[in-house]
């Protein structure tokens, strides 16, 4: 399959996302729902790579900022992904600073949620196994490589857009992503491709 033929499963094209963003800026709630469904899984994956289990909390803060700022946003689908990723990154960095200032001393218990049925738990475990393994491997990369891989692969940003998020040159982002992906491939080959 050629490069031009590769399309990430379930991802809207940038024109569709751009149209939904323009409509959402005007207050169209259905369009905002499309934007959220399209962008949230990628942002959540990016945030898991940055803050681990606190990703959901940071994502909700990110969406709060996105909702407040979307009327002023101008750009296409790719620019929106970059803008949203930049907000997520800033929120993640704020979160890390807060945690360092006030570290948790005891784990929180999550007794307020409904228990999963065996079917839900099994499906969720299978669905998240490869994602969690991939994010664990990415988290083991040097920070510049991890962020470049997350932005390029998980969020789906172009090198110039990812470079704006990171405050680097596009070539530096391409190089970091390439090195990170190469290092991940070496680790997987070293594991014999085993899954954890």
């Amino acid at each position: 399959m050629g490069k031009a033929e590769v399309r990430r499963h379930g991802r809207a094209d940038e024109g569709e996302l751009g149209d939904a963003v323009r409509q959402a800026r005007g207050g169209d709630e259905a369009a905002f729902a499309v934007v959220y469904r399209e962008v949230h899984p990628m942002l959540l994956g990016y945030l898991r790579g940055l803050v681990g289990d606190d990703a959901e909390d940071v994502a909700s803060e990110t969406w709060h900022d996105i909702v407040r700022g979307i009327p002023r946003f101008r750009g296409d689908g790719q620019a929106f992904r970059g803008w949203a990723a930049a907000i997520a990154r800033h929120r993640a960095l704020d979160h890390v600073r807060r945690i360092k200032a006030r570290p948790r001393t005891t784990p929180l218990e999550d007794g307020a949620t409904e228990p999963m049925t065996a079917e839900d738990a099994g499906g969720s475990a299978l669905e998240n196994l490869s994602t969690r393994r991939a994010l664990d491997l990415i988290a083991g990369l040097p920070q510049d490589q991890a962020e470049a891989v997350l932005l390029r692969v998980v969020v789906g940003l172009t090198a110039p857009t990812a470079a704006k998020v990171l405050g680097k040159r596009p070539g530096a982002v391409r190089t970091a992503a390439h090195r990170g992906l190469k290092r991940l491939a070496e680790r997987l080959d070293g594991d014999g491709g085993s899954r954890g």
Side-chain angles (χ1 to χ4, degrees):
M1 185 179 287
K3 272 191 172 183
E5 298 172 29
V6 175
R7 182 172 174 200
R8 289 179 178 87
H9 175 70
R11 183 172 286 182
D13 70 31
E14 298 308 322
E16 292 169 0
L17 178 59
D19 290 343
V21 168
R22 277 188 290 286
Q23 293 169 6
R25 276 195 346 242
D28 185 330
E29 290 180 23
F32 187 82
V34 169
V35 171
Y36 180 84
R37 281 191 307 269
E38 176 62 25
V39 175
H40 182 70
M42 289 171 269
L43 279 183
L44 197 55
Y46 177 51
L47 288 167
R48 279 193 182 115
L50 297 177
V51 297
D53 291 338
D54 293 335
E56 291 280 352
D57 293 337
V58 176
S60 70
E61 294 172 4
T62 299
W63 281 103
H64 177 265
D65 291 352
I66 290 171
V67 168
R68 287 181 47 211
I70 199 168
R72 295 179 305 280
F73 173 79
R74 298 295 180 261
D76 61 8
Q78 181 69 203
F80 183 81
R81 286 183 206 279
W83 179 70
I87 292 171
R89 183 172 192 262
H90 290 160
R91 281 300 188 168
L93 295 174
D94 288 346
H95 178 77
V96 168
R97 281 190 287 271
R98 275 194 313 270
I99 293 299
K100 285 182 180 177
R102 291 178 281 139
R104 282 189 190 151
T105 56
T106 59
L108 298 176
E109 291 189 29
D110 192 10
T113 60
E114 289 184 31
M116 286 184 144
T117 65
E119 184 177 306
D120 291 341
S124 179
L126 286 175
E127 183 177 298
N128 292 322
L129 181 65
S130 62
T131 300
R132 182 156 308 277
R133 170 110 169 95
L135 290 174
D136 287 346
L137 287 171
I138 292 169
L141 294 173
Q143 185 174 353
D144 66 323
Q145 293 176 11
E147 282 199 84
V149 169
L150 288 167
L151 287 171
R152 298 274 292 149
V153 177
V154 177
V155 180
L157 298 182
T158 63
T161 305
K164 286 180 186 174
V165 171
L166 297 173
K168 296 183 177 195
R169 292 183 172 173
V173 171
R174 282 186 198 95
T175 300
H178 174 76
R179 288 180 179 159
L181 291 170
K182 183 177 177 182
R183 187 173 278 182
L184 289 173
E186 290 167 357
R187 285 184 184 167
L188 288 173
D189 286 344
D191 286 351
S194 67
R195 295 180 187 198

